[in-house]
Amino acid sequence: QDHEFLIETMASETAATEFLFTSESVNEGHPDKICDQVSDAVLDACISQDPTSRVACETCTKTGMIMIFGEITTTATVNYEQVIRDTIKHIGYDDAAKGLDYKSVNVIVAIEEQSPDIAQGVDSTSVEGIGAGDQGIMFGYATDETPSLMPLSHNLATALGSRLTYVRKQNTLNWVRPDGKTQVTVQYTLENGVPVPQRVHTIVISTQHNEDVSQEQIQEDLKEHVIRAVVPEQYLDENTIYHLNPSGRFVIGGPHGDAGLTGRKIIIDSYGGWGAHGGGAFSGKDATKVDRSAAYAARWVAKSLVAAGLCRRVLVQLSYAIGVPYPLSVFVDSYGTAVGKTDEDLARIVNENFDLRPGCIVRDLNLRRPIMAKTACYGHFGREDEDFTWEVPKPLNVN
């Protein structure tokens, strides 16, 4: 009887180490992503002329209309309407039948200057003395389950969306339109606190398409030109489930299908549901806004810890108060994967190796450059691009 109990207990513990986790992504033609890209295009246009520009630019869009609104203080001379139309054109919205036309869309600009009350709390004569642009909490995450130290479920969902855009713009699949969403469920085992991918359980793709393509061709083309080009073969098997355009019809898309707004895809922008999120969006915010710069720094810290072999998986939290340079708190959780050190040790190492004052983050990551537009779709983290300085692990002094 004791032996049977032991076998049952071992079986339940083994079962408990297996789980499914799902991440989603959206294409650059998704209404919310249009808005993220427009907000960051406006930011880059300001920064390219005046690197000290203060920008908080929101965007919203619906059928035949797009509006930017917010606070911008800059010496730059920017043709906002042209920036907006060029961004929409680049995405691929050149016909009202697709949901938006860059040539005829009604553009509304409602921009004011930053409040002087905020400015006096942030401004400083030295980089080190710059205060945080607002209060808030930011998280960074890293895991050794992929070479980019990002979660596999998030990487695959993001890569599928990027591939959908590629086959559209390359005219490999001429029936694909700009709007689309992807979702990937991965089966994991949890081994000593580390998620280890086993297989892809389910793939969902919903892509906007023209009137002429059949559902059969959509499914065949998505498997051949999108899924097989992205998902490593070892993760796919005969039991992998596919839901490809499961609604059956997706001709009306873009802002014609749904309204869009900046900052509504913050999980897609970060870690696909892994780790944690402080709630602050990234796009349209200059680097004095810690919602963005400190989230980048937190990823830099987390990736550096894992890359140094100090832990296999880690979550880092930072917190700030408006006008105060130093973070109020630094929290580290290695999920029990730290190697020869405690989480308290890791937090000390972070404090000794990183200056997490907003001005120092901007300086060390070289954030006052017009590089933000390309972060606005397909993820802010895990990218192989030299401008993504927060993806380059910092060598750590761990003595």
Side-chain angles (χ1 to χ4, degrees):
Q1 191 173 4
D2 289 344
H3 179 65
E4 289 176 1
F5 174 76
L6 180 61
I7 291 174
E8 277 187 22
T9 303
M10 289 174 63
S12 68
E13 285 178 355
T14 302
T17 63
E18 289 190 357
F19 64 96
L20 301 177
F21 198 94
T22 303
S23 298
E24 68 158 347
S25 187
V26 298
N27 290 3
E28 60 194 60
H30 185 280
D32 294 333
K33 271 289 151 223
I34 295 172
C35 294
D36 285 343
Q37 290 166 91
V38 167
S39 289
D40 271 341
V42 169
L43 170 62
D44 278 359
C46 294
I47 293 294
S48 64
Q49 296 181 44
D50 175 11
T52 63
S53 297
R54 295 288 169 77
V55 179
C57 179
E58 311 294 342
T59 305
C60 63
T61 185
K62 186 52 187 160
T63 308
M65 182 278 293
I66 191 160
M67 176 172 73
I68 62 169
F69 55 104
E71 300 78 43
I72 297 179
T73 302
T74 183
T75 61
T77 302
V78 178
N79 184 338
Y80 295 121
E81 181 175 345
Q82 191 62 50
V83 170
I84 293 166
R85 292 191 191 277
D86 287 348
T87 303
I88 296 170
K89 179 182 179 181
H90 175 75
I91 293 169
Y93 281 113
D94 53 10
D95 188 330
K98 296 180 181 180
L100 200 64
D101 184 349
Y102 76 93
K103 301 182 294 293
S104 60
V105 63
N106 180 29
V107 174
I108 302 169
V109 177
I111 296 295
E112 299 176 5
E113 289 202 343
Q114 184 185 56
S115 161
D117 288 349
I118 295 175
Q120 61 86 28
V122 176
D123 291 340
S124 172
T125 55
S126 68
V127 169
E128 293 78 9
I130 293 174
D134 201 354
Q135 70 175 49
I137 56 175
M138 302 84 207
F139 290 91
Y141 180 78
T143 169
D144 69 359
E145 66 192 78
T146 64
S148 64
L149 304 187
M150 288 288 286
L152 180 68
S153 59
H154 171 77
N155 273 4
L156 292 179
T158 303
L160 287 171
S162 179
R163 178 69 182 179
L164 255 181
T165 295
Y166 177 82
V167 298
R168 170 174 62 87
K169 290 188 172 181
Q170 295 295 313
N171 211 33
T172 305
L173 301 179
N174 60 11
W175 54 264
V176 177
R177 286 180 172 176
D179 198 356
K181 306 182 80 170
T182 62
Q183 189 168 283
V184 175
T185 300
V186 174
Q187 182 175 324
Y188 285 90
T189 58
L190 192 65
E191 300 176 9
N192 299 316
V194 181
V196 180
Q198 302 299 310
R199 56 183 292 271
V200 170
H201 181 278
T202 302
I203 294 175
V204 182
I205 299 178
S206 294
T207 182
Q208 187 187 11
H209 57 86
N210 65 24
E211 293 271 10
D212 304 323
V213 66
S214 67
Q215 180 75 357
E216 291 71 28
Q217 185 181 347
I218 289 173
Q219 294 182 351
E220 181 180 325
D221 284 350
L222 290 179
K223 281 188 178 181
E224 177 64 28
H225 295 286
V226 178
I227 294 171
R228 290 185 187 131
V230 166
V231 182
E233 190 176 351
Q234 73 262 29
Y235 291 124
L236 298 174
D237 57 38
E238 66 276 9
N239 295 317
T240 299
I241 300 166
Y242 300 92
H243 295 294
L244 307 178
N245 272 35
S247 70
R249 180 178 168 86
F250 188 1
V251 174
I252 298 173
H256 188 189
D258 291 291
L261 190 64
T262 299
R264 282 205 300 210
K265 291 293 174 279
I266 59 176
I267 300 303
I268 287 168
D269 284 342
S270 51
Y271 306 103
W274 293 89
H277 202 294
F282 302 150
S283 291
K285 296 176 181 176
D286 74 82
T288 67
K289 278 72 171 173
V290 283
D291 275 345
R292 183 172 217 154
S293 54
Y296 289 1
R299 163 64 178 170
W300 187 36
V301 170
K303 188 170 186 179
S304 298
L305 290 171
V306 175
L310 295 171
C311 53
R312 297 190 58 192
R313 178 188 180 207
V314 71
L315 180 70
V316 175
Q317 187 207 49
L318 309 175
S319 69
Y320 293 86
I322 188 168
V324 179
Y326 282 99
L328 309 184
S329 61
V330 176
F331 168 80
V332 177
D333 180 4
S334 67
Y335 303 92
T337 69
V339 180
K341 297 189 182 299
T342 66
D343 288 349
E344 187 177 18
D345 292 332
L346 296 183
R348 176 184 53 77
I349 290 169
V350 170
N351 284 316
E352 291 175 353
N353 284 268
F354 295 90
D355 193 330
L356 295 169
R357 289 175 289 179
C360 299
I361 294 171
V362 172
R363 177 197 66 202
D364 294 344
L365 294 179
N366 195 14
L367 296 181
R368 281 184 169 160
R369 293 173 296 143
I371 59 167
M372 298 306 183
K374 57 184 168 182
T375 71
C377 51
Y378 313 120
H380 293 245
F381 308 124
R383 304 269 291 272
E384 293 183 6
D385 186 312
E386 63 181 7
D387 286 330
F388 287 58
T389 49
W390 50 94
E391 289 299 318
V392 180
K394 181 177 183 178
L396 302 178
N397 180 359
V398 299
N399 295 329

